[in-house]
Amino acid sequence: MSAPSLSTGARALTRTPLSWPLRRSSMPWMLVPALLFFAAFWLLPFASLIAMGSQPDNSTGANAYWTILTQPHYLRSLGVTVLLSLLVSLTAVALSAVAGCFLARHRFAGRSLLLAILTFPLAFPGVVVGFLVVMLAGRQGLLAEIGLALAGDRWMFAYSLMGLFVGYLYFSIPRVVMTLVAACEKLDPSLEEAARSLGASQWRVVWDVIVPGMAPALFSSGAICFATSMGAFGTAFTLGTNLNVLPLTIYGEFTNYANFATAAALSVVMGGVAWLALILARWLAGEHKGVA
């Protein structure tokens, strides 16, 4: 009875060293389809975009990259977009962190339904989100009707940067809250108990234990919000083409003025800013993970 088991074990031992190098050598080939897709649908088009941005601007005749760095209205559009995206990211992370920790620590009837409601905006494209903002704070929206009834004046902010902020925040929170729920569930409760046993207040526990423990998730989800808000077009287009944000500026350059070089240069700059934000968030998340 023992001989067959020994021969089986010997066969397993002789088979394992041969199969492991085979699996290791085949792994790079598994990346080929993804690399081809990446090159065909991102690397080559983006390289063409960079080359197009080096051509002369239609109005100034100078290099398009130089034009967007010297013309105030392009710099203003970039600054407004970066500031708006930063505010949306900070607000979305703050609200989602509170909601995510609560949902991770409490079990109650209707919790699954509440999570589904919080993530429901992911099903809406940007155009629908913009339309919802109009229905809330537009000329014929709910707030306008309430203001007309109470003060005789319509309350509305849908067609301003405030309306764009609300719209961006609406589709940013679902992208953050589920990540932070998972991050909060992974925290070690014994660390909080130890901090409380040493006399730390609730705020000290939050700032010294919970926030550092969730820092990688906070940075990564905030960077995703920032990058998404930088390039969001549908919501801004629905709320008004006069908003001074970069996606609408790019749209106007190549549709109204056929200024393809400047549109390409603005697109490269916008993508570069979002890419740098993702790199910074990844570095900060790695630093805090190493400290933790």
Side-chain angles (χ1 to χ4, degrees):
M1 294 297 291
S2 60
S5 60
L6 289 175
S7 61
T8 303
R11 286 197 300 269
L13 290 175
T14 56
R15 191 184 304 117
T16 302
L18 295 176
S19 60
W20 172 244
L22 182 62
R23 287 199 299 269
R24 290 188 62 185
S25 62
S26 64
M27 287 182 65
W29 293 103
M30 298 172 64
L31 298 176
V32 171
L35 292 176
L36 291 176
F37 185 86
F38 177 79
F41 290 94
W42 187 86
L43 191 59
L44 295 178
F46 195 72
S48 301
L49 203 65
I50 294 175
M52 185 182 297
S54 63
Q55 297 177 2
D57 175 78
N58 287 354
S59 58
T60 64
N63 182 279
Y65 292 111
W66 177 254
T67 300
I68 64 176
L69 293 176
T70 55
Q71 295 296 319
H73 61 283
Y74 293 133
L75 293 176
R76 191 180 305 113
S77 179
L78 176 61
V80 169
T81 306
V82 170
L83 181 60
L84 177 64
S85 301
L86 185 60
L87 290 176
V88 169
S89 302
L90 293 175
T91 307
V93 168
L95 294 177
S96 300
V98 175
C101 287
F102 177 82
L103 292 171
R105 301 294 177 84
H106 297 83
R107 296 293 185 270
F108 52 88
R111 179 178 179 272
S112 300
L113 178 61
L114 182 57
L115 284 171
I117 292 174
L118 288 174
T119 56
F120 185 67
L122 290 175
F124 290 152
V127 175
V128 176
V129 173
F131 181 67
L132 292 176
V133 176
V134 171
M135 295 298 294
L136 172 66
R139 294 184 182 90
Q140 305 298 327
L142 178 62
L143 290 181
E145 296 296 330
I146 294 175
L148 192 62
L150 297 179
D153 190 19
R154 295 182 183 274
W155 298 340
M156 57 183 184
F157 57 82
Y159 313 103
S160 63
L161 287 176
M162 182 63 186
L164 196 58
F165 172 82
V166 172
Y168 283 2
L169 187 63
Y170 178 75
F171 66 69
S172 294
I173 288 178
R175 288 173 167 82
V176 181
V177 66
M178 296 305 298
T179 302
L180 298 186
V181 167
C184 189
E185 288 176 345
K186 293 180 180 179
L187 292 178
D188 188 358
S190 63
L191 297 177
E192 300 177 39
E193 296 173 0
R196 291 191 181 92
S197 66
L198 294 174
S201 63
Q202 182 62 35
W203 283 109
R204 296 300 300 178
V205 172
V206 170
W207 287 111
D208 294 340
V209 178
I210 297 179
V211 172
M214 295 179 62
L218 294 173
F219 284 122
S220 59
S221 57
I224 293 174
C225 280
F226 180 84
T228 304
S229 300
M230 282 287 296
F233 173 76
T235 304
F237 187 77
T238 305
L239 295 179
T241 56
N242 292 325
L243 293 172
N244 190 23
V245 290
L246 208 52
L248 294 184
T249 303
I250 296 171
Y251 177 79
E253 288 296 324
F254 75 81
T255 56
N256 299 333
Y257 310 110
N259 197 358
F260 300 112
T262 301
L266 288 170
S267 301
V268 171
V269 170
M270 182 179 67
V273 171
W275 183 59
L276 289 176
L278 292 172
I279 292 177
L280 178 61
R282 185 177 180 85
W283 177 76
L284 291 173
E287 288 290 317
H288 282 78
K289 187 176 181 180
V291 172

